[in-house]
Every structure is written in structure tokens, then in C-alpha cells.
Amino acid sequence: MVVIPTILKSKEKVEELVRKLEVFYLANQSDNIYFTLLGDCSESNKQKEESDLEVIQEGEKLVKELNEKYQQKQEGLSIFNFIYRKREWNEKEASYLGWERKRGMLTQFNQYLLGKIKNPFRVNTLENQIKEKMKYIITLDADTDLILNSAFELVGAMAHILNEPIIDSEK
């Protein structure tokens, strides 16, 4: 799965990034690659902001349009997905924000995919069957591009036997 984790404050930003996901898909089409915009909430003194609803509606609408446009759903699953995090109270910052910002969002996402936590997101279009299929997550910054066939090269590098992690169960 290719993900772009970023703070989303406007529907225009959502549109820009979902269009990027479409370009990434066109350059890296495969029955085994999915694309997700991981939207994080901005810092606030309230748990929910009016702008959140606009961001959520735009994200859900645009991924639905893309999934309809590229109807050859992969094994009946949506190629494009949208996730938007809940704000949580942060005592140190005395405000509501996403836990641990980008690193926390990726941690929660991975824990969710692994089935170690229940859905921690305010909006999540990801289907349960997709979670079970994920083996690799390619994380891109909002200003990074995924050029032609580069997703295959990244997965190939991760899957190579010399790149397998060695885990010491005692430590």
C-alpha cells in the first residue's frame, strides 16, 4: 500500500493529494498495490472543527469517484482509500491534535493493519479484506513523487532476502 500521511486543513489540499494518488496509480498499476491518503487533523482547542467535515466529505467523495473511474476493483476491493484521524487531548500542548503527529499516525495505521488495535480513525474507507493483504507500506511525503514502476522496485528491495530484518527475541 502506498500512503501519504499529512495534515489536512482544506478540501483543496485533499483534492491535490487524491489527484496525486491517481497519478501514482497510473504509473504503478498492479493488482496488489493500493493507495491511501492518511489525513491527520490540525491542532485545535476543540475536538472537532467545522473544517473537518469539509475535509472528510471531500476525501470520501474523491476516493469513491476514483474507485468508480477505475472499476476493475482489485479482487473486489477498493484501490483508493481515505483515512482521517480523530483529535485527542494532549496535556503537554494543552490542545486537541493527532497523537504523535505523523509518526503516531503511521504507528496507529500499522497497528490497525496488523489487527493489534481497533479502528482508531474518525473516517476509514479501508475494507477489512485489504488489511489482511498488506505486507509492505510505502510511505511518501506530500511533496514526494512515485515515478513510473518505482513502487515495484521499492517492494522488490524490501522483499529481497538480504533486507529481511533479523529479530532477537531475547532483546
Side-chain angles (χ1 to χ4, degrees):
M1 178 171 286
V2 176
V3 300
I4 300 176
T6 190
I7 293 175
L8 297 173
K9 294 182 182 182
S10 70
K11 70 179 192 176
E12 291 78 19
K13 186 69 171 177
V14 173
E15 182 177 6
E16 172 192 334
L17 294 173
V18 170
R19 295 297 163 225
K20 254 188 133 158
L21 288 177
E22 180 180 19
V23 171
F24 296 166
Y25 165 73
L26 293 171
N28 294 274
Q29 290 184 47
S30 168
D31 289 344
N32 299 313
I33 299 179
Y34 300 85
F35 300 84
T36 301
L37 178 56
L38 286 176
D40 205 359
C41 52
S42 58
E43 187 173 341
S44 175
N45 60 356
K46 299 187 284 188
Q47 191 167 24
K48 293 183 180 180
E49 287 286 344
E50 289 180 30
S51 61
D52 293 344
L53 187 56
E54 186 178 84
V55 164
I56 290 167
Q57 288 173 340
E58 190 70 7
E60 290 178 320
K61 179 186 91 165
L62 292 175
V63 297
K64 182 178 185 230
E65 287 173 3
L66 283 182
N67 283 317
E68 288 171 358
K69 183 176 181 179
Y70 302 102
Q71 290 180 349
Q72 78 268 13
K73 282 188 167 184
Q74 298 167 355
E75 298 180 22
L77 303 174
S78 299
I79 299 166
F80 300 94
N81 296 281
F82 176 71
I83 290 177
Y84 191 72
R85 268 211 307 182
K86 302 173 188 174
R87 281 185 189 82
E88 296 178 12
W89 180 253
N90 183 307
E91 200 65 45
K92 288 184 180 179
E93 306 233 5
S95 64
Y96 287 95
L97 53 116
W99 170 74
E100 288 288 321
R101 313 273 163 118
K102 191 190 301 188
R103 180 178 58 236
M105 183 167 38
L106 289 168
T107 298
Q108 283 183 314
F109 183 65
N110 284 322
Q111 294 294 309
Y112 172 67
L113 287 178
L114 292 169
K116 294 186 177 182
I117 60 172
K118 292 187 179 193
N119 181 17
F121 307 107
R122 182 168 171 193
V123 172
N124 182 355
T125 67
L126 202 64
E127 299 165 10
N128 282 334
Q129 302 93 328
I130 292 177
K131 288 176 19 179
E132 298 162 5
K133 294 175 59 85
M134 291 307 108
K135 185 169 182 178
Y136 301 105
I137 304 296
I138 298 171
T139 304
L140 303 174
D141 287 332
D143 61 351
T144 304
D145 289 326
L146 190 66
I147 59 173
L148 187 63
N149 296 323
S150 57
F152 304 109
E153 292 176 25
L154 290 168
V155 170
M158 289 184 279
H160 193 280
I161 194 165
L162 294 177
N163 293 327
E164 285 187 28
I166 299 171
I167 300 173
D168 183 337
S169 60
E170 292 178 20
K171 294 181 182 178

